[in-house]
Amino acid sequence: MAAQYSISGTTAKGIAASVEHAVADGSLAPGDALPPVRRLADELAVSPGTVATAYKELRQRGLVVTRGRGGTVVAAAPAVASRRPPKVPDGLRDLAGGHPDFSFLPDLPALAAPSTGPRSHRATPRLPRLEERARAWFDGDGVPCDSVTFAHGALDCIARLLATELRPGDAVAMEDPGYHHLLDLLQAMGLRTIAVAVDDEGMRPRELREALRAGARAVVCSPRAQNPYGGHFSAERRDALVEVLRQAPEVLVIENDHAAEIAGVELNSLTEGGLSRWAQVRTVTKYLGTDLRWAAAACDPVTLARHDGRLLLTSGWVSHLLQAAVLALFDDPSARLLVERAEVAYEKRRAAFVEELARRGIAAHGASGMNVWVPVRDESALVNGLRTRGWWVAAGARFRMAAAPGVRVTVAGLETARAARLASDFADTLGESAATYGG
């Protein structure tokens, strides 16, 4: 408890530093209560306002949280490790990892060595031809493309966008269930998450409105191929969400269109709604190559300037060799053909599995992308039961905040001929679970 650690300091910064040191060395653990403001002020012979300022700084940095009458306590440590998927046991068919079917990924091109002689990558951080292709890529789906930039993958881009806008302790509206790496990222950045429920059409407008009223300063969402639920924005849902977001013009809206070319549905983007602060992020790892850690982002001019200013101060630019590889694959007709084949195959595999489950009375969600979400009562029982039958699927716990239990099945590598067998094993496992736990 906090009583076991003597907080010191005569200024707000000194008091905050003392608490931070205690949290760092373990003297104060997550959940430990800090002394009430007036009591600590008396102990340190400072004004209550000084202690209150220190506690406010600690809250803004995500080190403590205030629980009303429960007082101020040390915040939970980022639970990054808890969301990492377990190792796939030997001999099982892996449908848990979220990976594409590698048979649809093109071979990476052979690249020439970079040109010799002096040159300034910082002055020209983006290859002009790739930037042109990126603009056409966004423009083809109706996304405004006047301001385009690059990053080292979608998570890198989203992290930088959030870091330039928010401070630790700020809140972000997130999909629930949502992408576990994004949830981990926000925790590691000291940001708070506000869960926004999703359905087959993506984020729900009413829940988004509630999140904005609760103080969300940014929104991160997927317009299609939502991971893990598989939803996508219909035109009607897009319009309803835009109407909500127009009431909060200062909020930054980030669309993660991570599976653009293989989602299997057209894009209905929030960026078409005239929002003030927005970005759409696209990457190619799911269909051109998992080692191609490159992303493009279209955004409003202010967001672009802030992102690029931070990038300039860190890595400076995205490797021109990496950019050249992406450009070569964009220009390669055989790579384009593989991507088209992948999109068709994933749509068939997703539909086949959902239909086979439905024939057995099992509801599932997978309107786009590579994943299917199946609501279940007991995630562990289902995962372990399928394991005994040779399948490895992902328990939904690492994707959920307040959503009901479920499991995620990545169908990218599930051939349609095997969909019936998996659905049958799914039904048998659910039946055993109901018999064991009483329905």
Side-chain angles (χ1 to χ4, degrees):
M1 296 297 294
Q4 299 174 335
Y5 176 80
S6 180
I7 298 174
S8 61
T10 57
T11 64
K13 287 190 176 297
I15 295 168
S18 175
V19 173
E20 183 175 4
H21 178 77
V23 172
D25 69 15
S27 300
L28 288 175
D32 281 352
L34 301 188
V37 168
R38 291 190 177 277
R39 192 178 87 197
L40 183 58
D42 290 342
E43 292 175 358
L44 299 178
V46 300
S47 72
T50 298
V51 176
T53 299
Y55 282 11
K56 179 180 179 181
E57 180 178 342
L58 290 166
R59 282 196 301 273
Q60 290 176 334
R61 297 174 61 191
L63 292 170
V64 302
V65 294
T66 299
R67 296 176 175 171
R69 293 185 178 180
T72 299
V73 301
V74 178
V80 174
S82 68
R83 292 184 188 270
R84 291 177 180 169
K87 181 180 179 181
V88 181
D90 292 338
L92 300 187
R93 183 71 180 272
D94 181 13
L95 302 179
H99 305 302
D101 184 335
F102 288 90
S103 68
F104 290 120
L105 299 183
D107 293 331
L108 295 181
L111 297 176
S115 60
T116 59
R119 57 179 178 164
S120 174
H121 290 79
R122 292 180 185 273
T124 310
R126 297 180 290 277
L127 295 182
R129 282 189 58 215
L130 184 58
E131 183 172 356
E132 180 182 340
R133 290 299 301 271
R135 291 182 190 279
W137 193 19
F138 287 114
D139 186 57
D141 285 321
V143 177
C145 59
D146 291 339
S147 301
V148 172
T149 190
F150 298 163
H152 304 89
L155 286 174
D156 172 75
C157 186
I158 293 171
R160 193 173 294 107
L161 291 169
L162 293 175
T164 61
E165 295 290 330
L166 309 183
R167 298 180 62 186
D170 286 341
V172 182
M174 298 290 292
E175 297 165 327
D176 187 23
Y179 185 38
H180 58 102
H181 288 309
L182 273 174
L183 299 177
D184 290 343
L185 175 64
L186 265 63
Q187 286 185 326
M189 295 176 67
L191 301 173
R192 295 184 294 115
T193 57
I194 301 178
V196 178
V198 301
D199 57 25
D200 291 334
E201 295 183 76
M203 272 189 168
R204 296 178 180 175
R206 182 174 66 84
E207 284 83 349
L208 176 59
R209 182 178 291 107
E210 292 173 355
L212 296 176
R213 288 174 177 170
R217 294 192 55 203
V219 178
V220 180
C221 59
S222 298
R224 51 186 172 180
Q226 196 274 344
N227 188 359
Y229 208 86
H232 65 90
F233 292 160
S234 65
E236 294 76 16
R237 175 62 57 85
R238 184 266 318 277
D239 293 344
L241 292 172
V242 167
E243 185 64 28
V244 172
L245 291 166
R246 281 176 177 164
Q247 307 308 308
E250 74 285 355
V251 170
L252 174 63
V253 179
I254 302 174
E255 280 190 342
N256 181 18
D257 195 18
H258 67 281
E261 299 299 289
I262 54 171
V265 293
E266 293 184 355
L267 176 68
N268 291 299
S269 175
L270 301 174
T271 67
E272 301 175 68
L275 302 177
S276 300
R277 300 299 312 283
W278 61 272
Q280 199 204 62
V281 183
R282 292 185 176 185
T283 186
V284 297
T285 55
K286 296 296 185 185
Y287 41 90
L288 291 184
T290 53
D291 276 331
L292 296 176
R293 314 309 298 179
W294 172 86
C299 40
D300 69 87
V302 172
T303 299
L304 177 95
R306 292 179 178 178
H307 173 277
D308 284 5
R310 182 66 62 89
L311 179 66
L312 183 66
L313 294 172
T314 53
S315 60
W317 66 88
V318 176
S319 163
H320 281 195
L321 282 176
L322 174 59
Q323 293 187 48
V326 173
L327 179 60
L329 290 173
F330 275 163
D331 289 339
D332 184 352
S334 62
R336 179 76 259 169
L337 180 60
L338 277 175
V339 173
E340 293 172 356
R341 288 175 55 196
E343 181 179 28
V344 172
Y346 295 161
E347 184 173 4
K348 289 181 178 178
R349 293 172 184 183
R350 187 178 66 247
F353 182 52
V354 171
E355 290 170 4
E356 291 292 347
L357 287 174
R359 288 175 185 162
R360 293 160 176 80
I362 302 170
H365 304 275
S368 61
M370 302 191 307
N371 298 300
V372 171
W373 179 264
V374 188
V376 299
R377 196 190 68 167
D378 189 324
E379 294 176 2
S380 296
L382 193 283
V383 170
N384 290 328
L386 287 178
R387 176 179 179 175
T388 65
R389 292 168 168 83
W391 307 100
W392 188 243
V393 301
R398 71 179 190 267
F399 304 97
R400 299 186 289 108
M401 290 175 278
V407 296
R408 188 192 73 173
V409 182
T410 300
V411 297
L414 181 68
E415 300 87 347
T416 55
R418 298 196 179 191
R421 180 193 158 194
L422 176 56
S424 179
D425 288 344
F426 216 105
D428 290 345
T429 303
L430 287 175
E432 291 174 0
S433 176
T436 300
Y437 296 102

